[in-house]
Amino acid sequence: MSRAPRQKRKPLGSTLAVAAIALAAGAAHAAERRDLPLSAGWQFHQGDVPSGKQGGAEAAAFNDKGWTTVSLPHTWNHLGGTAERGPDYNAARGAGWYRLRFTPPADYAGRKVWLQFDGASINTEVWLNGVKLGVHKGAFGRFRFDATAALKQGKVNVLAVRTDNSSPAVAGSPTAEVIPMSGDFFLFGGLYRQVSLIATDPVHIDMLDWGGPGVYAHTAALDGAASIEVNSRVKNDGAKAQPVVVKTTIVDATGATVASDSHPLTVAPGALEEPAQTLSVPNPHLWDGKADPYLYHVVTRIETTDGQLLDQVTQPLGIRTFRFDPDQGFFLNGKHIALHGVSRHQDRPGKGWAISPADQAQDMDIMLDLGINTLRLAHYQHDQAIYDLADRDGVVVWAEIPLVNRTAPETPDGDKGITTPAFAASADSQLHELIKQNYNHPSVVTWSIGNEVNLMAAVGRGVSNARPLLTQLNKAAYELDHTRPTTMADCCEPWPDAPKPGVDVVAEITDLLGYNRYQGWYYDKPEDLGPVLDRLHKLHPRLPLSVSEYGGGGGLTQHTDEVQTGVVYPKGHFHPEELESRLHEIWWAQLKARPYLWGTFVWNMFDFASDSRREGDMVDTNDKGLVSYDRTVKKDVFFFYKADWSDQPVLHLNGRRYVDRAYPVTDIQAYSNAASVRLSLNGRDLGAAPCPDHVCRWPAVRLDAGDNLLTATADIKGQPVSDSITWHFGGKADEIRIRAGASAGLTSAAGARYGSDAFVTGGEPHDRNPGPETGKPDKFIAAATGTPDPKLYETYREGTFTYRVPVLAGRYQVTLRFAEPALAPGARVFDVAANGQVVVKHLDVAAEAGGALKALERTVTVEVKGKDGLALDFRPVTGQALVSAIDVVAAR
């Protein structure tokens, strides 16, 4: 279903403000809730502060004159998105102190006053005027403290906050039992979200319900009219009993009232009442995902019996039904929707987690441009702004707590799978925060209670005993919200016929399940993804399944001439962008052909910071994003999905960052949702190519010397579209040099340009230098001797294989370069034939070179006739054939 062009989004909160103003007109305003952002003027010190004679940094009189002035949101950590660590690199984990002087507004006098933190990492201690208000443990949820008794009206107040993002793996760490223990993402420290000072009447909607709004609404029935159940929490912090009226109104998108209810009650001093109200909305306008994300709002007012307003809360309401089917997937309002989308992390370069509402809106705009209809907010609770945007744009959300990699602390007992009470309490409290704070968002359809919780056990680091904690969390989620199913993301489920000691099966604890699958990247082949999913579906026939992660790295500065021929190590230094694109083409074809999947989520929407990684072309960065870390570059693969998912015209020529081409002959590819696309090169028509599955290909295009202007054109639904890129070929048409087995080309000491492994069928590629393991330096490998270019001999192709080198008719000198990796003389003997004629017979590289890792060359002259180019067949006699490089150069 196509959508009308999306109008410019209103600022967050504008609809809520309209509803509130409409309802409050004519009522007394003195008692309305006040919200004062505390953003500017903070003093910051990284590290702990020793106590002095007048106390430590928590004391009002402490001298912070030498501290740095900062504004919120703020983090001291800076990493990721660069090729090397720069001067601003800061991955320090530990304490950070913040101090702020402020004078409360005059109308805060006589009110209850609260300090609200939208997010602080990881552990937070708060003092006001030297009085400790409390401690919060957990980096992602909103939390509040009652500041009434400590606040000084009409005077300067001093707010001191200590945050601590220490690693839980450090002995004695204060975060040792606070989830997450670890994860493939960096835990930035500081006050990275907003801090506010909020004033309410002593009789108010509860402010201490796990950071939640205190008003919770859901659709109880939908049959002609919608029955909406609203549960409110009314607290009396006054000294006397207070008779009040709880007035709840549902307003539509124009602010008009469509349903209302009044509930009188008397609240005793210090008491909490929880009135339940049921409202009926006739002929409801449904929240229908991206097709029609219509929002109502629930406005709950606490009034005195004579109509004076005491407090008011406004929350979003989307009226909808949804269900998950193990064979047919996801249904919204009775209609099937194939959910396709991405996972997202919240960080940016230079900002870390300290991002703005404008950053959140830009992220959503980029994701909507891609064409997503679902979003996994991994691996923790994200800022409210992104949930609000998902509500308004109709994006279905998977929301998650940060229970990652393990369900026990990083201790010897934790490695035995022993979940401590404090660890379990941390997971439970963060689940409460996630659900309470996001209960009213119609975009949220499932609560995830964990991600890859048995990963550490699966890689041999301890034992997984995840089921008891997951069962407890699953029960808690249902008690908090019986309207939504639970899910989790699993990486490591052992097959029944191949159990893994110490790794327990966590499937079928939750109502739904997601699988993180990296076939063809970390293991297996990309074509294995579909069969593996079919096997899992058969194993759990009553469990609705999704693919919660799939993806591969893609470096913007790293390129290959022919994907899937050379070796790429997922934890190595070379992640060609072209391979990322090809893998997704293979994966997506399998995923979209399996209707039983209720959702699929690319890992990841954006590159993100991870201090455990030094791979691809960046340090401290996971490069699996469809978009660069700084959001400025959409990788080629972005347009593959946009062509499939979006209703916009798409035509995108691939390879625009691989400008300086190694070979005179290459395939050209575009992504488009046109039926066919026409291509020209320097004005010459190369013809129209069909675009099955949105991939258009022109094979074996011969480039011109110098610049090559490629222009693609198409007609998409009557609209002409085009795209152009320019490549440069600086070589010669009659010279081709191939680096066998390699995914990356190189330039020799003599200046000869070798492209990556290409034009080959058969055999297997090998690379003796696999690159670093995660977080470890490169391994030392012995270099080949007898050559000025030892790196040329680090890779090779082995087996029975054929190169079909696309040269024109003529005489050529063919130089074959070899180095035996390890075998003794006699263990490997093979022939090489050129266009069917044996030109190298019974070659024993080790014997002729005098041992292993000694460079050997063989040069022959061949005549190429016709248009089929040069076929070089490597034929084993004993063992397997091999070659490290091939030079085909016209005989001068």
Side-chain angles (χ1 to χ4, degrees):
M1 180 176 184
S2 62
R3 297 177 66 202
R6 196 162 55 88
Q7 297 179 348
K8 185 176 181 180
R9 185 186 288 112
K10 296 179 181 179
L12 288 177
S14 60
T15 305
L16 307 186
V18 168
I21 290 170
L23 286 165
H29 291 268
E32 284 187 19
R33 184 176 292 196
R34 297 286 190 267
D35 188 339
L36 176 68
L38 302 177
S39 302
W42 290 83
Q43 300 300 111
F44 169 71
H45 173 80
Q46 183 179 340
D48 240 332
V49 180
S51 295
K53 291 182 180 180
Q54 296 178 326
E58 74 277 7
F62 179 83
N63 183 0
D64 57 20
K65 186 176 180 180
W67 291 16
T68 304
T69 301
V70 300
S71 296
L72 303 187
H74 175 265
T75 181
W76 62 83
N77 295 124
H78 298 277
L79 69 157
T82 56
E84 297 295 336
R85 291 170 177 168
D88 64 343
Y89 169 79
N90 185 343
R93 296 185 64 175
W97 278 89
Y98 296 83
R99 287 171 55 87
L100 176 71
R101 293 169 177 83
F102 68 94
T103 302
D107 62 355
Y108 276 43
R111 315 286 298 279
K112 287 291 293 184
V113 181
W114 316 83
L115 275 166
Q116 175 172 297
F117 295 78
D118 290 342
S121 178
I122 297 173
N123 291 354
T124 309
E125 299 172 82
V126 179
W127 294 263
L128 182 61
N129 299 319
V131 177
K132 190 167 187 176
L133 301 185
V135 176
H136 180 266
K137 296 184 178 182
F140 306 104
R142 183 198 300 122
F143 58 96
R144 304 182 182 113
F145 294 125
D146 186 345
T148 310
L151 190 74
K152 295 179 180 178
Q153 295 290 345
K155 297 180 181 180
V156 175
N157 288 253
V158 179
L159 175 59
V161 182
R162 182 186 185 274
T163 63
D164 193 328
N165 72 331
S166 294
S167 169
V170 176
S173 171
T175 67
E177 296 176 292
V178 181
I179 67 169
M181 292 292 97
S182 62
D184 183 19
F185 57 97
F186 188 79
L187 274 80
F188 292 85
L191 295 178
Y192 73 93
R193 291 183 189 154
Q194 188 58 263
V195 176
S196 303
L197 189 70
I198 301 174
T200 69
D201 189 85
V203 179
H204 55 86
I205 295 172
D206 190 12
M207 294 289 289
L208 299 180
D209 188 29
W210 300 98
V215 174
Y216 308 97
H218 70 272
T219 303
L222 183 58
D223 184 12
S227 177
I228 309 298
E229 290 187 1
V230 182
N231 295 276
S232 304
R233 294 169 60 91
V234 182
K235 186 72 164 60
N236 182 2
D237 284 320
K240 298 180 180 180
Q242 177 73 58
V244 298
V245 179
V246 180
K247 291 186 176 180
T248 296
T249 304
I250 298 176
V251 299
D252 65 15
T254 70
T257 298
V258 297
S260 61
D261 182 75
S262 295
H263 186 99
L265 56 86
T266 297
V267 191
L272 173 71
E273 298 288 342
E274 300 184 68
Q277 297 169 280
T278 301
L279 292 80
S280 179
V281 178
N283 303 312
H285 192 152
L286 301 184
W287 188 89
D288 203 27
K290 288 180 67 177
D292 188 6
Y294 189 87
L295 285 176
Y296 295 88
H297 286 90
V298 175
V299 184
T300 296
R301 295 162 57 88
I302 310 301
E303 297 181 359
T304 63
T305 53
D306 60 359
Q308 180 182 357
L309 176 64
L310 299 178
D311 197 13
Q312 176 175 297
V313 166
T314 301
Q315 288 291 293
L317 172 67
I319 300 174
R320 80 283 188 266
T321 63
F322 62 88
R323 65 182 179 89
F324 299 83
D325 185 274
D327 295 313
Q328 301 178 65
F330 179 73
F331 291 79
L332 179 63
N333 300 322
K335 296 177 296 184
H336 177 262
I337 295 179
L339 291 179
H340 50 255
V342 295
S343 296
R344 171 200 184 244
H345 272 297
Q346 64 184 3
D347 58 312
R348 287 182 175 228
K351 294 183 176 183
W353 289 347
I355 59 178
S356 68
D359 294 330
Q360 305 270 14
Q362 183 189 37
D363 277 8
M364 181 59 81
D365 284 341
I366 294 171
M367 292 186 287
L368 291 173
D369 183 51
L370 177 66
I372 70 163
N373 61 11
T374 190
L375 173 61
R376 181 185 177 207
L377 293 175
H379 291 302
Y380 40 76
Q381 181 175 335
H382 290 228
D383 186 74
Q384 282 297 304
I386 200 70
Y387 299 93
D388 290 337
L389 292 167
D391 290 345
R392 298 178 195 193
D393 290 310
V395 176
V396 171
V397 167
W398 161 318
E400 187 163 289
I401 64 169
L403 187 64
V404 182
N405 289 3
R406 55 193 303 157
T407 55
E410 293 205 44
T411 62
D413 281 346
D415 288 340
K416 297 175 184 176
I418 299 174
T419 302
T420 63
F423 184 98
S426 175
D428 183 74
S429 67
Q430 294 194 55
L431 179 66
H432 274 73
E433 289 175 342
L434 176 73
I435 295 178
K436 286 286 189 176
Q437 293 170 31
N438 296 286
Y439 185 97
N440 294 319
H441 290 293
S443 56
V444 177
V445 299
T446 184
W447 306 116
S448 173
I449 63 173
N451 175 78
E452 298 187 352
V453 295
N454 48 18
L455 175 63
M456 291 298 99
V459 298
R461 290 182 53 189
V463 173
S464 173
N465 183 31
R467 292 190 67 86
L469 178 59
L470 293 175
T471 301
Q472 173 187 330
L473 293 173
N474 193 68
K475 181 175 182 290
Y478 185 82
E479 290 172 349
L480 287 164
D481 179 12
H482 67 275
T483 71
R484 294 178 175 95
T486 54
T487 191
M488 64 177 300
D490 179 68
C491 65
C492 308
E493 177 177 345
W495 297 109
D497 58 350
K500 298 178 182 178
V503 181
D504 53 351
V505 176
V506 296
E508 302 195 24
I509 295 174
T510 53
D511 304 307
L512 318 172
L513 189 64
Y515 282 109
N516 298 349
R517 285 293 177 263
Y518 290 92
Q519 266 74 22
W521 182 247
Y522 290 123
Y523 44 76
D524 299 342
K525 296 180 180 179
E527 294 83 2
D528 295 334
L529 175 61
V532 166
L533 294 173
D534 291 342
R535 187 179 177 190
L536 290 166
H537 179 46
K538 185 177 181 180
L539 188 62
H540 305 291
R542 293 183 297 276
L543 184 62
L545 302 181
S546 68
V547 175
S548 38
E549 292 182 21
Y550 67 102
L556 293 174
T557 65
Q558 296 179 332
H559 303 285
T560 191
D561 297 285
E562 189 171 316
V563 299
Q564 295 182 280
T565 52
V567 175
V568 171
Y569 290 99
K571 298 178 182 179
H573 281 309
F574 196 71
H575 289 176
E577 183 181 3
E578 292 77 11
L579 178 59
E580 180 186 29
S581 297
R582 180 59 185 143
L583 290 174
H584 277 284
E585 292 170 17
I586 297 170
W587 289 327
W588 180 238
Q590 297 171 83
L591 294 176
K592 68 186 300 185
R594 285 165 169 80
Y596 59 80
L597 295 172
W598 64 258
T600 58
F601 301 85
V602 174
W603 189 264
N604 195 279
M605 183 64 213
F606 306 103
D607 293 345
F608 59 91
S610 177
D611 61 333
S612 67
R613 290 182 180 265
R614 189 179 181 93
E615 56 193 47
D617 58 0
M618 290 181 289
V619 65
D620 301 314
T621 309
N622 188 312
D623 62 353
K624 294 185 183 69
L626 305 182
V627 177
S628 63
Y629 190 26
D630 62 5
R631 277 62 168 172
T632 62
V633 179
K634 297 173 179 176
K635 302 180 188 181
D636 285 341
V637 68
F638 176 98
F639 296 92
F640 169 68
Y641 284 110
K642 182 175 180 178
D644 195 298
W645 296 351
S646 171
D647 55 9
Q648 303 175 53
V650 176
L651 175 54
H652 174 85
L653 281 165
N654 294 347
R656 62 194 54 229
R657 281 165 289 280
Y658 184 14
V659 174
D660 186 16
R661 310 297 292 195
Y663 291 131
V665 177
T666 186
D667 294 346
I668 298 173
Q669 181 171 289
Y671 293 138
S672 181
N673 46 18
S676 64
V677 172
R678 183 168 292 277
L679 182 69
S680 67
L681 189 159
N682 290 335
R684 301 192 307 275
D685 183 23
L686 299 183
C691 304
D693 298 319
H694 308 297
V695 181
C696 330
R697 289 190 176 94
W698 295 264
V701 174
R702 192 166 294 275
L703 302 179
D704 295 339
D707 287 341
N708 290 261
L709 174 62
L710 297 165
T711 300
T713 58
D715 182 279
I716 302 177
K717 299 180 180 179
Q719 179 177 341
V721 293
S722 64
D723 189 30
S724 295
I725 58 176
T726 298
W727 289 346
H728 182 82
F729 175 62
K732 297 179 180 179
D734 53 4
E735 293 186 5
I736 292 179
R737 294 179 172 87
I738 303 168
R739 187 184 179 200
S743 58
L746 60 74
T747 300
S748 72
R753 175 80 181 275
Y754 286 82
S756 65
D757 205 358
F759 317 121
V760 65
T761 56
E764 293 291 335
H766 295 273
D767 188 340
R768 295 191 299 110
N769 185 7
E773 295 181 15
T774 299
K776 297 180 181 179
D778 290 330
K779 295 179 179 178
F780 172 80
I781 63 164
T785 60
T787 173
D789 298 300
K791 284 192 68 66
L792 195 60
Y793 296 86
E794 288 181 356
T795 66
Y796 58 97
R797 182 165 289 275
E798 182 180 49
T800 302
F801 51 93
T802 298
Y803 282 88
R804 295 193 176 277
V805 187
V807 290
L808 299 174
R811 294 181 69 250
Y812 292 87
Q813 281 191 327
V814 179
T815 300
L816 307 174
R817 304 178 188 273
F818 311 94
E820 171 56 53
L823 298 181
R828 186 194 308 272
V829 179
F830 58 92
D831 296 341
V832 182
N835 285 343
Q837 181 179 353
V838 174
V839 293
V840 176
K841 187 174 181 61
H842 288 187
L843 178 63
D844 184 334
V845 175
E848 295 198 27
L853 295 181
K854 294 185 178 182
L856 178 71
E857 297 180 7
R858 285 288 180 267
T859 299
V860 297
T861 300
V862 299
E863 186 81 24
V864 175
K865 300 178 181 179
K867 299 179 180 180
D868 294 333
L870 171 63
L872 294 171
D873 297 312
F874 291 76
R875 303 169 178 174
V877 176
T878 301
Q880 301 292 328
L882 66 72
V883 69
S884 283
I886 300 171
D887 299 35
V888 180
V889 179
R892 310 293 182 191

